[in-house]
Amino acid sequence: MFFRTGSLAFTPRIIRGFFAIGVALLCSGEIVAQNVSPSNPQLASPAIEQRVDDLLKKMTLEEKIGQLVQYNDAGFTEKANAAQLAANPDAHNQVNAMELAATGRLGSMLNTVGAEHTNTFQHAAVEKSRLHIPLLFGADVIHGFRTIYPQPLGLAATFDPDLVMALSHMSAEEATTAGVRGFYSPMVDISRDARWGRTTEGAGEDPYLGSAMARAYIRGYQGDDLSRPDSVAASVKHFAAYGAAEAGREYNTTDMSEIRLRQIYLPPYEAAVRAGSATVMSAFNALNGVPASANPFLLQKILRDEWGFNGFVVSDYTAVMELLNHGIALDAATATRKAFLAGVDVDMMSHFYDTQLPELIRSGQVPISAVDEAVRRVLRVKFALGLFEHPYARGTEVTAAVPEHRPLVRRAAAESFVLLQNRLSDSSTAVLPLSQQAHKIALIGPLADNSGEMMGAWGGANRLPDVVTVKDALEARAKQYGGSVIYAKGTEIIGTSEDGFVAALQAAKQADVVVMALGESGEMSGEAGSRASLDFPGNQEQLLEAVVSTGKPVVLLVFSGRPLVLTWAAQHVPTILEAWFPGTEAGSAIADVLYGDVSPSGKLPMSFPRAVGQEPLYYNQFPTGRPPFQADLTQPPGSSSRFVSRYIDVPNDALFPFGYGLSYTHFTYEKLGLSRSLLKLSETNRTGAEKLITATITVTNNGNRAATEVVQCYVRNLGASVEQPVRSLKGFSRVTLKPGESKQVSFDLGFSELSFYNEENQAVIEPTHYTVWVGGSSLATEEASFDVRQ
């Protein structure tokens, strides 16, 4: 309805059988690892298990398979699914979702939204089917349902998990009134390549930050009780390593060592699973040659055996069918068998499980015990959600942005903005915050008065009239101070016409200060939004250069779903604010920051490159045998400095690094201390090792206004059996300080912060030397060290 298809489907696959701690259970012919606790205790409830047992005994094979398929309300039609029909001839079999629901042959539906709409399908399932099993309605609610908050990459810039949890719960409150009880969210794929479009949906390049955000989403969506009517079942996606697509190209293959997989890419998924995520979505990509949706190493060994996942796994949109395109199956039956036995419980939109499983079962290629276990996983989630007691949409349907929710999304947007630059103007004062004496503001750019593009990708069920644009907010604020705004669009987001340049330059020349709103469209990021260029699209940079040439102070607002190349702007524009796609309260939040009501506190969750050729670019790189700091990089390429790990045409480092972000005040760091200088290896075992050493530092606000700083702790390990990154984030804390105020900030470092994966792919701590840095970015300079010895 209001959502793009292409994410997840809902029908469960709970972990191998009903877990009892320390007991191995037989599932689908495989043994679950011992001593692994179930990831979600609610799904392991004996009361729920008894209800599942009773219901399963009554189900026919057709009804069982029905729980393992997911469709939208359109079915497969030539108009709605041309791409799928072209790739999958079997999809020409028409699917009538209403008939399937009424006959007990449909378990869940995707992106079917709205109380009346969902209730109609639910009525068919609950009132007409033989066993009255309710449907689970899932939707791509990525960053808000009706009241839209910043896209996840922007939220990651807040470094504020509590805020993310509150926003996630808010979206669940709204969506459940429309019958939605499952979200295909959060996306926790680590992305180190800004070319990848789905960068916008995740938390960026760092596994520690990504894990913190993953936990926050799960706790916000699901709360502490799935049966609450305002809770939804989360689906962590895309499992696994989807964000490492080669060349940043959507749906492309991924290939990496198991050490890198476990140390960098898997932690956010694990964090979400251990936080209790009810479902997991398998990814489109192949990992090391095996498609993720037919990969028992991922779906069984890691997800279930090691992590104890006891929810269900749903494929991404037609991912089972796409096994044919991957080349690991020659027909629908083989694709179905490989996906199902690898661990995909629910087939989203491929139309394979319902057509192929019956014969696979009859022929003995798929054991009925495996089918029963997959159905159990789906039913457990439905019982846990309370769908059998309360199958219909709750309360009065939310059909517009909720006034009571606006303050929270406004705060979130303001916290997400990252002040990249705020140099002095000719008057020797920083351009921001704007003075109330700036009576004439020129507002220029294609995103200045563009409500639709404030949403970004996956904008939920938003209504454009609900959106506050930059123009709306600045005009209201300027009028409040007796000033005015001169607006000129200047150009289109994508275009080459310079017809609007004249009006834009005239506006700039009349103004005291110029605010330019440039960037991407929402469709340029998100799924299928990969880009080979990271520059401003169209002729926006030419417009920027022309306006800067007027000599007026310029504030550049960058709207994007990824890091862009801002090299020219960084050299010529005094003030740059990364605004991402802020959501419903975009303009209000921007006005709050521009006028100084809120001091920027956002920090970059991804490194911003100097040139697209640096991608993939990330701060936590591994060292090389010829590090560039050993050479004088000012020397020409032909000198002896050439033979180090460097580019000959651009510096190695990011233009704006991970964790970086300015404020309207100045923070200082001093007196970094460690609670110990030596750890014995025997102390570092897993049991009771949450706090091995504590780092403490004093942070002071040396400015003249209250502000919030994100204090960050980084660690490096030297002397290990496997080389480690030059530094890795291992802690962060948001600290609000009054002018002149100081606070001590501490970080506890335990096994999870100090361990790494060795050559046996085991998490270990070895006798090595550790360096700890604390500061306001990944360039933190306050340093201390300690050793681990036998």
Side-chain angles (χ1 to χ4, degrees):
M1 185 175 175
F2 294 97
F3 299 81
R4 286 174 48 193
T5 54
S7 249
L8 174 56
F10 265 80
T11 44
R13 158 130 189 167
I14 276 176
I15 193 168
R16 296 294 172 189
F18 173 57
F19 271 85
I21 297 176
V23 179
L25 296 179
L26 185 65
C27 320
S28 305
E30 299 178 7
I31 299 295
V32 176
Q34 296 184 10
N35 300 319
V36 178
S37 299
S39 60
N40 188 319
Q42 191 174 353
L43 299 180
S45 159
I48 286 179
E49 193 66 15
Q50 184 61 57
R51 296 180 72 181
V52 170
D53 283 341
D54 293 343
L55 182 56
L56 190 65
K57 292 174 185 177
K58 303 174 184 177
M59 298 175 72
T60 65
L61 177 60
E62 191 174 51
E63 289 168 333
K64 290 176 181 178
I65 293 174
Q67 292 300 306
L68 309 183
V69 297
Q70 182 177 90
Y71 292 113
N72 58 26
D73 56 358
F76 282 98
T77 65
E78 294 287 347
K79 182 177 180 181
N81 296 282
Q84 284 73 25
L85 286 166
N88 178 12
D90 286 334
H92 285 283
N93 297 322
Q94 297 297 302
V95 172
N96 183 326
M98 188 66 74
E99 179 183 345
L100 294 179
T103 54
R105 293 179 292 153
L106 181 63
S108 54
M109 299 186 71
L110 74 154
N111 294 332
T112 300
V113 178
E116 181 178 0
H117 205 43
T118 57
N119 286 346
T120 300
F121 281 96
Q122 194 70 285
H123 181 270
V126 172
E127 304 296 335
K128 297 181 180 180
S129 71
R130 187 177 72 92
L131 295 177
H132 317 294
I133 301 174
L135 300 170
L136 173 58
F137 295 96
D140 288 301
V141 180
I142 309 301
H143 55 113
F145 182 66
R146 293 290 189 180
T147 316
I148 309 302
Y149 42 88
Q151 88 274 34
L153 188 63
L155 284 187
T158 68
F159 281 66
D160 193 342
D162 289 341
L163 174 63
V164 171
M165 185 166 62
L167 291 164
S168 301
H169 181 65
M170 180 201 80
S171 63
E173 285 183 324
E174 293 185 1
T176 50
T177 68
V180 177
R181 292 301 306 276
F183 283 0
Y184 306 132
S185 175
M187 192 206 88
V188 301
D189 305 314
I190 293 295
S191 175
R192 294 170 148 190
D193 194 331
R195 294 172 296 180
W196 190 50
R198 302 196 83 163
T199 289
T200 191
E201 299 176 47
E205 70 189 51
D206 183 75
Y208 187 92
L209 176 62
S211 297
M213 292 298 164
R215 286 187 289 269
Y217 282 111
I218 300 302
R219 291 166 180 165
Y221 291 151
Q222 298 187 172
D224 56 5
D225 184 357
L226 278 171
S227 68
R228 287 176 56 93
D230 59 354
S231 293
V232 298
S235 187
V236 59
K237 63 183 185 182
H238 308 83
F239 194 66
Y242 186 36
E246 287 186 359
R249 181 160 52 85
E250 181 66 18
Y251 313 122
N252 206 3
T253 191
T254 63
D255 200 290
M256 67 182 67
S257 70
E258 188 174 338
I259 289 177
R260 173 164 288 193
L261 175 69
R262 289 181 179 275
Q263 193 150 313
I264 301 298
Y265 288 90
L266 290 185
Y269 304 111
E270 182 177 7
V273 167
R274 295 195 185 281
S277 184
T279 77
V280 167
M281 181 185 290
S282 64
F284 286 122
N285 60 285
L287 175 64
N288 300 335
V290 182
S293 292
N295 194 320
F297 172 73
L298 291 175
L299 299 176
Q300 177 60 44
K301 183 181 186 300
I302 292 177
L303 184 61
R304 295 192 174 90
D305 295 352
E306 295 183 14
W307 298 351
F309 176 64
N310 65 337
F312 70 84
V313 174
V314 58
S315 78
D316 208 334
Y317 196 98
T318 69
V320 176
M321 175 273 291
E322 291 171 25
L323 297 179
L324 298 173
N325 297 336
H326 278 286
I328 69 162
L330 296 177
D331 51 47
T334 304
T336 298
R337 175 175 55 81
K338 288 191 172 185
F340 185 74
L341 293 181
V344 175
D345 301 302
V346 176
D347 173 14
M348 179 192 285
M349 295 296 292
S350 288
H351 197 31
F352 273 18
Y353 277 18
D354 45 358
T355 60
Q356 305 302 317
L357 275 177
E359 179 57 33
L360 289 169
I361 294 166
R362 280 191 288 269
S363 66
Q365 296 181 67
V366 171
I368 189 63
S369 60
V371 175
D372 286 348
E373 191 54 46
V375 176
R376 285 179 180 278
R377 298 182 183 116
V378 175
L379 294 178
R380 288 185 188 120
V381 173
K382 289 185 175 183
F383 278 120
L385 283 168
L387 286 176
F388 286 83
E389 292 76 25
H390 305 288
Y392 298 107
R394 71 175 187 92
T396 302
E397 182 176 3
V398 173
T399 58
V402 178
E404 293 80 7
H405 292 168
R406 284 182 177 271
L408 182 63
V409 300
R410 181 171 179 169
R411 172 193 155 200
E415 280 193 22
S416 75
F417 301 152
V418 183
L419 185 60
L420 299 177
Q421 194 159 276
N422 194 26
R423 293 200 302 259
L424 301 181
S425 66
D426 292 340
S427 62
S428 298
T429 58
V431 179
L432 291 184
L434 294 177
S435 167
Q436 296 181 15
Q437 306 307 313
H439 292 302
K440 287 189 177 181
I441 299 172
L443 179 60
I444 299 170
L447 288 140
D449 191 27
N450 195 326
S451 56
E453 298 301 350
M454 295 298 98
M455 300 297 101
W458 305 104
N462 73 84
R463 294 173 64 253
L464 297 187
D466 292 337
V467 179
V468 181
T469 68
V470 179
K471 180 173 178 287
D472 294 336
L474 287 191
E475 285 180 340
R477 187 64 66 93
K479 183 178 180 180
Q480 178 182 341
Y481 297 137
S484 62
V485 172
I486 310 166
Y487 168 67
K489 187 175 184 180
T491 189
E492 302 295 334
I493 295 176
I494 303 175
T496 58
S497 173
E498 296 185 359
D499 292 347
F501 280 28
V502 172
L505 292 174
Q506 289 177 344
K509 292 174 182 176
Q510 298 176 54
D512 300 311
V513 64
V514 179
V515 176
M516 297 196 70
L518 306 180
E520 300 180 306
S521 68
E523 291 185 349
M524 296 183 75
S525 58
E527 187 171 359
S530 297
R531 295 183 62 192
S533 168
L534 296 178
D535 297 327
F536 285 120
N539 61 357
Q540 292 184 63
E541 184 137 330
Q542 287 78 12
L543 175 63
L544 174 64
E545 293 174 10
V547 171
V548 169
S549 71
T550 66
K552 293 300 178 76
V554 173
V555 176
L556 173 60
L557 305 178
V558 180
F559 296 89
S560 66
R562 53 160 62 84
L564 298 181
V565 173
L566 303 174
T567 305
W568 188 91
Q571 295 171 351
H572 299 91
V573 179
T575 301
I576 305 173
L577 185 75
E578 173 60 58
W580 316 108
F581 291 113
T584 303
E585 285 288 316
S588 301
I590 285 172
D592 289 342
V593 171
L594 294 190
Y595 278 96
D597 299 340
V598 177
S599 180
S601 61
K603 302 286 187 175
L604 291 180
M606 287 188 74
S607 303
F608 273 49
R610 300 173 184 273
V612 71
Q614 291 179 288
E615 297 293 340
L617 178 66
Y618 46 94
Y619 82 95
N620 49 347
Q621 301 175 25
F622 285 100
T624 71
R626 296 190 176 188
F629 59 77
Q630 292 181 346
D632 182 357
L633 299 186
T634 64
Q635 296 299 311
S639 71
S640 60
S641 297
R642 181 182 185 93
F643 300 102
V644 294
S645 180
R646 60 170 290 193
Y647 299 102
I648 64 173
D649 54 354
V650 68
N652 287 6
D653 61 334
L655 180 65
F656 299 111
F658 175 87
Y660 170 84
L662 301 176
S663 172
Y664 290 156
T665 189
H666 176 64
F667 297 98
T668 57
Y669 292 80
E670 58 183 355
K671 301 177 182 177
L672 174 61
L674 301 178
S675 58
R676 304 172 65 180
S677 61
L678 179 65
L679 287 176
K680 292 183 179 180
L681 188 61
S682 59
E683 301 176 65
T684 65
N685 57 61
R686 290 176 180 270
T687 305
E690 291 82 10
K691 179 180 177 181
L692 294 171
I693 193 167
T694 301
T696 302
I697 198 165
T698 300
V699 185
T700 302
N701 179 354
N702 286 326
N704 58 8
R705 63 174 65 223
T708 298
E709 171 73 325
V710 178
V711 183
Q712 302 159 49
C713 179
Y714 295 86
V715 172
R716 184 179 188 183
N717 181 2
L718 286 171
S721 58
V722 177
E723 68 177 12
Q724 296 302 301
V726 293
R727 61 177 66 187
S728 299
L729 181 70
K730 296 301 179 182
F732 60 84
S733 177
R734 290 178 59 87
V735 180
T736 300
L737 298 173
K738 300 175 183 177
E741 184 181 7
S742 297
K743 282 186 180 178
Q744 281 196 337
V745 180
S746 295
F747 298 97
D748 293 331
L749 304 175
F751 183 88
S752 62
E753 289 80 20
L754 301 179
S755 60
F756 64 93
Y757 282 88
N758 63 12
E759 292 179 281
E760 286 72 45
N761 296 302
Q762 298 296 317
V764 298
I765 292 178
E766 296 177 345
T768 54
H769 179 77
Y770 285 85
T771 303
V772 178
W773 295 269
V774 178
S777 79
S778 57
L779 300 180
T781 57
E782 290 297 313
E783 177 182 330
S785 63
F786 66 95
D787 293 292
V788 176
R789 296 178 185 172
Q790 290 283 1

